[in-house]
Structure formats: C-alpha cells, structure tokens
Amino acid sequence: MNKSDGSNLVLGIAAGLVAALIAAIVWGLISSTTRFQIGYMAIGVGFVVAFAMRIAGRGHDKRFAIASGLISLLGCVLGNYFTVCFSIAAKEHADVLAVTTGLLPRFVDVITATFDLMDLVFYAIGAYFGFRYAITPPRRREMITETGTPPTTP
C-alpha cells in the first residue's frame, strides 16, 4: 500500500479476486449452457479483473499489472473448472453447489482431464489483458512531482 499516491495493492488484489470469481462463474454458465468454449471469455476475465484492480487499487506500477495478470490466469482456470461442474450438475440433475464443492478436492484432476492445448492460448490471452489494463495512468500532477518537470505533449 502506498498512501502518497493513493494506491492500495491489497484492496486491488481483493477486488481482482472477487472479479475473477464472478467472471469465472459467468464463463462456466455460458460455456456449459452453450456447450462451447469461447475464447472471448478469457478476454472478458482479463478485462474484468484488470478494471476491478484499476478502480479499487489505483496503482501505477508493475506490481498491480503482475497481480492482475496472475489473478486473470486463475480466473480463466476457474472458468474451465466451473464449466465442468455446471455441465455435470445439469446432466445429473444435481445441485450445482454440491457438485462444485464435491469436486474441489479433485480440482487438479478435473482441470487436467479436460485440458486442451487451446486452453493455454486462452489462459495467455486472459493473463495478457489482465496485465495490460490493470495500471491506472498517472495524472498530470503526479507526473510533474515524479520527474520535477511537466510532461511534454505532442
């Protein structure tokens, strides 16, 4: 946390984790309903996480971008996990929460059993968008105080 510039990494990470969970649930619902994995879901996860971190954390340095990229990656993996859980629950007419929590001890098994090479592409895209858009651009006043001179505008 850096109080001098108003950034808050802990708050940004908390917001990013909540956003990743919500985005992963949406991913799982859409993918299990349509029975189709859509690459745009990874972009959505990255954007949602990045903007949650950007708004809540208000960070200007790479720590925010790195954290957002990693959380976006986690959100993409969770999206695939929820897709499997929601699909099983629908097929078996079972309670979604029971299936999701019941499979949790076998999380790695579920992910590896359903893994496809294209998942790596989706995960990379999600992490990239999370990394790329998480940092709040510094305001003009902050740029002046950091360098001692105002920025030049083209």
Side-chain angles (χ1 to χ4, degrees):
M1 182 159 62
N2 188 346
K3 295 182 185 208
S4 65
D5 68 356
S7 65
N8 188 330
L9 183 60
V10 174
L11 184 60
I13 289 172
L17 287 170
V18 170
L21 181 61
I22 292 168
I25 290 170
V26 170
W27 175 328
L29 288 171
I30 292 172
S31 295
S32 66
T33 302
T34 63
R35 295 186 177 128
F36 188 69
Q37 283 277 32
I38 305 167
Y40 296 120
M41 302 302 269
I43 295 170
V45 170
F47 269 130
V48 168
V49 170
F51 282 106
M53 286 199 62
R54 185 179 215 171
I55 291 167
R58 294 179 286 164
H60 308 296
D61 61 59
K62 293 284 186 200
R63 297 175 304 156
F64 290 85
I66 292 168
S68 180
L70 292 173
I71 293 170
S72 296
L73 177 62
L74 173 65
C76 290
V77 173
L78 283 176
N80 279 341
Y81 175 74
F82 287 139
T83 298
V84 172
C85 293
F86 297 164
S87 297
I88 290 172
K91 183 178 179 183
E92 301 293 326
H93 303 289
D95 179 53
V96 173
L97 189 57
V99 172
T100 304
T101 56
L103 286 176
L104 201 52
R106 301 193 57 194
F107 180 86
V108 174
D109 295 334
V110 170
I111 295 300
T112 55
T114 59
F115 181 78
D116 186 285
L117 198 54
M118 281 305 292
D119 289 340
L120 288 179
V121 175
F122 294 150
Y123 296 167
I125 290 168
Y128 168 77
F129 277 88
F131 178 86
R132 175 70 176 92
Y133 295 101
I135 298 175
T136 304
R139 293 182 300 259
R140 185 173 172 88
R141 177 182 293 168
E142 291 167 352
M143 292 173 71
I144 292 171
T145 58
E146 287 177 8
T147 62
T149 60
T152 58
T153 54

